[in-house]
Amino acid sequence: MGFPKIRMRRLRSSDSMRRLVRQTALSVDDLVYPLFVREGKGLKAPIKTMTDCFHFSPDTIAAEAVEVASLRIPAVLLFGLPGKKDDIGSQAWAEDGVVQRSIKEIKKAAPQLLVITDVCLCEYTDHGHCGVIKACPERSRENGKIDNDPTCELLAKTALSHAQAGADIVAPSDMMDGRVGYIREALEENGFENVAIMSYAAKYASAFYGPFRDAAESAPAFGDRRSYQMDTPNSDQAMAEIALDIEEGADIVMVKPALAYLDIIHRAKQRFDCPLAAYNVSGEYMMVSCAADAGLLDKKATLLELLTAIKRAGADIVITYFAKEAAKLLLG
Ligand SMILES: [Zn+2]
């Protein structure tokens, strides 16, 4: 049976009809808002490379968290910029570190707001890599490579320090092998069995991170991250990465970036029962912001379309710099 008995336009004939048959509903409940906190006092400094995004300090982050919570956004994702960096990133797990203090401030001001913390070393190391560097004799093939297992131990220490400060969810973004297992073990051993892990399971070496690297001041001083982050053309490896992270104890798995990787999100959702997050990254955000500023795109319509598309592909959770704007639109 086909045309004229079947007319697809019947179900698009009015707003009510379209609402009735709509399959995907983007909700404020799906959103996570990333926040950057740096050492300092009284800061709310615009990030040059990211429109409407700011660097906060631990004493100003609470007010922002209260605003986020008032928009009914369930969670923030915290990134820290320390006062000083070193070769192993020791400020990452410092008890009085910038993230650790900020977690406490947020929890005091907005206890219902979930605090997710990015767990990585790249903002804390003076070389900007996500792990510690192997120092080997000159001309060794291993020289200058990122040392996997010692890095995992430091990541576990970092995650534990976030849990001790009050984080609800820790989110390792480094792409070392086995780090979720190390973190799960450290949390279990120290009485934080209820702290969840959201792993950046399939994180690709992407050009779309450009604006973020200035926001987090974490560009590598040499080389790139291709020996640990995933290679764009690969899809099977993403499934293997996700499966391993779930096996090691991840509660939520993530695909990053989102828009150029909707096929990965879709495939992951078909295959795994675990809640799936997608990170709508800084480059994706700024493409829309810049095009809107240039008068080429309707920003509100575009951002809702993109976030809905990420959800339609299969994401349960969308991490986005548009979260506040989207929440205002969704709450009307
Ligand atoms: Zn990193």
Side-chain angles (χ1 to χ4, degrees), residues 118-123 125 128-131 155 173-176 203 212 218 225 228-229:
D118 181 80
V119 175
C120 200
L121 300 182
C122 53
E123 295 104 330
T125 52
H129 275 287
C130 301
L155 292 165
S173 61
D174 50 282
M175 289 300 281
M176 296 300 122
K203 180 179 180 181
F212 175 90
S218 60
R225 297 195 169 103
Y228 41 105
Q229 295 179 351

Side-chain angles (χ1 to χ4, degrees), residues 136-156:
C136 293
E138 214 54 44
R139 278 186 292 174
S140 156
R141 271 183 58 228
E142 295 296 305
N143 207 17
K145 283 189 179 170
I146 309 305
D147 210 350
N148 192 87
D149 303 6
T151 297
C152 288
E153 282 173 27
L154 299 182
L155 292 165

